Amino acid sequence: SECSNNASLEITNFSVNGVAANSKTFLQENSSCKLVNSYFSKNEKSSVNDVVVHIGKSSKSLITAKGYLINGFSDFRGLIKIEPSAYFSEGFQESQFLLDGTAKVVSIPDLEISNNEVKCSHGSTVSRIRDEDLFYFESRGISKENAKIMLLKGSLLSEIKDDLLKNHGEKLLDEQLDLLDEGLL
């Protein structure tokens, strides 16, 4: 897709059990885009590849990926490319994954910058829920299972600003959690 001069684009993807998402966005002068991929996966393979190319000056981008994986695999790749003509542009990307069971993830945030007058950063966090985190919830009377559900929903739904989409996402998660066998979460 292309974001013309002075335009703004926001795309939010929320999915459960396997996602394959690829996007490529070109930003013209004073345009901006925000790409959010948030997903839950159990025993599935997921793949996300987001590319944003800054062509015009003063363009801005944000790529966010959040995942909660149980016994699955995810491959996230994000690229922000700043062309020589894209002075004063800003590009940021972040990915956060919570793993459970035998889940694995490859997370590769990448920057390709051909201009010195920009602000860019990237980061990736991959972790498992720690016993200390669950103990905190348990010390407040919340079971381990409910604590994991709260962490899962908080992580995956936090970037979704649209209430209708957030409510739909929560419903999809609840349906998936109902299907999980006792003790797998």
Side-chain angles (χ1 to χ4, degrees):
S1 62
E2 184 166 339
C3 203
S4 59
N5 291 351
N6 303 307
S8 181
L9 172 69
E10 185 169 336
I11 298 173
T12 301
N13 292 312
F14 181 85
S15 59
V16 295
N17 281 337
V19 62
N22 292 301
S23 70
K24 189 166 190 177
T25 306
F26 296 91
L27 298 178
Q28 299 296 336
E29 186 173 330
N30 292 314
S31 63
S32 67
C33 77
K34 179 179 180 182
L35 306 175
V36 176
N37 284 289
S38 187
Y39 52 97
F40 169 81
S41 184
K42 177 180 177 267
N43 299 325
E44 298 283 337
K45 181 178 180 183
S46 299
S47 175
V48 175
N49 185 14
D50 287 325
V51 177
V52 176
V53 181
H54 292 254
I55 298 170
K57 66 181 181 179
S58 300
S59 53
K60 296 180 180 181
S61 67
L62 173 63
I63 298 174
T64 301
K66 292 188 171 221
Y68 191 106
L69 310 172
I70 301 173
N71 303 330
F73 175 77
S74 180
D75 182 10
F76 168 74
R77 296 171 191 270
L79 170 64
I80 294 176
K81 184 175 182 179
I82 308 285
E83 296 289 344
S85 57
Y87 289 97
F88 312 117
S89 292
E90 298 179 14
F92 304 99
Q93 63 176 308
E94 59 187 5
S95 61
Q96 299 173 356
F97 293 94
L98 280 172
L99 308 180
D100 204 347
T102 60
K104 294 181 180 169
V105 67
V106 172
S107 179
I108 303 175
D110 201 7
L111 301 173
E112 188 176 313
I113 302 171
S114 300
N115 186 316
N116 291 329
E117 300 293 327
V118 298
K119 290 182 189 177
C120 289
S121 70
H122 59 39
S124 180
T125 304
V126 178
S127 63
R128 295 187 180 276
I129 296 175
R130 302 174 313 179
D131 288 338
E132 307 86 77
D133 298 331
L134 298 176
F135 178 75
Y136 174 82
F137 284 93
E138 287 179 306
S139 70
R140 278 138 183 86
I142 300 169
S143 70
K144 280 186 179 183
E145 291 77 21
N146 285 336
K148 285 185 178 185
I149 290 169
M150 291 171 72
L151 289 168
L152 167 106
K153 288 182 179 181
S155 172
L156 296 182
L157 300 174
S158 66
E159 291 293 321
I160 301 174
K161 303 304 178 205
D162 181 79
D163 288 337
L164 186 61
L165 183 57
K166 187 178 273 194
N167 290 340
H168 183 66
E170 188 165 8
K171 182 180 176 188
L172 286 174
L173 285 174
D174 286 340
E175 289 171 3
Q176 290 300 309
L177 295 172
D178 286 344
L179 296 175
L180 290 177
D181 294 332
E182 191 71 20
L184 285 181
L185 183 64

